[in-house]
Amino acid sequence: MRLLVLLSLLLAGLGLPARRARAETVSVYDIIAEVNKIRTGNGLPALQINSILMSTAQSTAEIMAANRSCSHLGEVSERVAAAGYGGGARVWATENISCGPKTVQQIVYNDWADELHMLPMTNASYTDVGAGASEVEGFAYYVLHAAYTTGPSGQVNTPAATSFPALPSRTAEVIMPVQTATAIENGAIYHIVQPGQTLTMIANAYGVTLANLLALNGISPDTPVIYAGQKLLIQPAPTATISPTPTNTSPPPTRTPKSSPTPRPPKPTRTATPAPTATVRSLLPDVPILESRNHRSFGIGMIVLCAIGLVIVALSWIRKR
């Protein structure tokens, strides 16, 4: 049973945004006719159109469209009873919804094909029906209300269904207002989706854009579907900025500058002044033979004189022997 309830929630298309393309709205009477076609095919009497159920179904469709929310509004049995259906008797009601540009066949045979949505078409206890439709920006919202009443003893108030036990209404599904969550320890913010809440409602409550909300949670813009109990990331944890740790570096010791010797001015270099060379005068300047042009003759003469001297000395020595 729980699986069927979850399936019905998914088929209801929680959180679907309005479409831009305009589509022709299916007639509510066509929906009722198709439901009765299936019902009579199961050997059950057709449901009777009830003005109160028509009013409650229509008002529900208009509220859904105004909130752009494809979700149930609350316990349907209480709502139709409050509108006057049943005249004070115990009311049992079922609410089927469908959203989007669809045909009557898609609504009845696709969206309402599970066991819970098929109750008005398979259970003889239901006697009355009403339907409503509302369209905003090409996106339609369809609602079917099927109901019956029981007396104080629990007997169904219809002769054709006295042999069937009374059926409890389906689990109430309401639109819960968005209560924003606070950031957790690491700074991230998560939101737990409640029944009936849409992506647009959640984004507006937290002051974020719908596109950013879809991107953070990996939800495709083409199929923006969420479900009750889903955990949505609203704000990721801030990325910690690593601040560099300053390192205390001791300044290098200051060297005492050494005094640079002042260069002494170079001693002036004395430039030797060449002294005039004295001209040596010849001792015998007037002897013609000693002139430079007679040096050879003078040398020959000296040799001859020496030779004569040697001869004389040699002869004198021989004689003494």
Side-chain angles (χ1 to χ4, degrees):
M1 181 62 69
R2 292 181 180 178
L3 180 61
L4 292 175
V5 172
L6 291 175
L7 180 60
S8 66
L9 289 174
L10 292 175
L11 290 175
L14 292 175
L16 289 176
R19 299 288 199 275
R20 293 182 179 179
R22 185 176 181 83
E24 183 178 354
T25 305
V26 175
S27 169
V28 294
Y29 295 101
D30 290 340
I31 295 175
I32 294 174
E34 203 66 35
V35 167
N36 276 330
K37 179 180 177 181
I38 298 174
R39 186 175 171 86
T40 56
N42 289 326
L44 301 175
L47 298 174
Q48 301 298 310
I49 296 177
N50 182 279
S51 60
I52 296 177
L53 296 181
M54 290 291 287
S55 176
T56 57
Q58 182 60 36
S59 62
T60 301
E62 291 176 358
I63 293 173
M64 289 167 57
N67 289 280
R68 310 297 198 276
S69 174
C70 191
S71 301
H72 298 277
L73 301 184
E75 220 299 319
V76 62
S77 296
E78 294 178 0
R79 284 188 281 130
V80 298
Y85 177 79
R90 179 68 171 93
V91 174
W92 304 91
T94 292
E95 180 179 77
N96 288 358
I97 63 175
S98 179
C99 305
K102 297 178 180 179
T103 64
V104 65
Q105 287 76 21
Q106 290 174 325
I107 296 171
V108 177
Y109 295 99
N110 291 349
D111 294 352
W112 299 345
D114 62 278
E115 181 181 354
L116 286 176
H117 287 90
M118 288 290 291
L119 284 176
M121 294 159 266
T122 59
N123 190 279
S125 296
Y126 289 92
T127 58
D128 301 302
V129 69
S134 183
E135 182 267 331
V136 177
E137 298 178 0
F139 197 79
Y141 300 81
Y142 302 101
V143 179
L144 179 81
H145 283 173
Y148 64 95
T149 60
T150 58
S153 62
Q155 183 180 19
V156 177
N157 294 336
T158 171
T162 53
S163 60
F164 290 88
L167 296 176
S169 61
R170 289 191 295 173
T171 303
E173 299 159 285
V174 299
I175 291 181
M176 300 292 293
V178 178
Q179 294 183 353
T180 57
T182 57
I184 59 177
E185 185 176 355
N186 65 357
I189 299 177
Y190 292 91
H191 177 78
I192 305 302
V193 179
Q194 301 301 315
Q197 293 180 351
T198 67
L199 286 165
T200 302
M201 293 168 58
I202 296 170
N204 292 338
Y206 283 95
V208 298
T209 64
L210 179 59
N212 189 42
L213 183 61
L214 295 176
L216 283 177
N217 294 276
I219 301 175
S220 172
D222 297 328
T223 55
V225 178
I226 56 176
Y227 54 88
Q230 183 176 353
K231 187 177 183 180
L232 294 179
L233 176 61
I234 305 299
Q235 173 184 292
T239 303
T241 303
I242 301 176
S243 302
T245 303
T247 303
N248 295 325
T249 305
S250 300
T254 304
R255 295 182 180 180
T256 303
K258 295 181 179 180
S259 57
S260 302
T262 305
R264 296 179 179 178
K267 294 181 179 180
T269 304
R270 295 181 180 180
T271 305
T273 304
T277 303
T279 304
V280 180
R281 299 184 66 181
S282 176
L283 295 176
L284 300 172
D286 296 333
V287 181
I289 196 172
L290 297 178
E291 293 181 1
S292 59
R293 63 179 177 270
N294 294 321
H295 286 174
R296 184 176 181 183
S297 300
F298 176 76
I300 295 172
M302 290 299 293
I303 294 172
V304 172
L305 290 177
C306 289
I308 295 173
L310 287 175
V311 170
I312 294 173
V313 173
L315 288 178
S316 177
W317 183 77
I318 295 172
R319 288 177 180 174
K320 289 179 180 182
R321 299 222 25 172

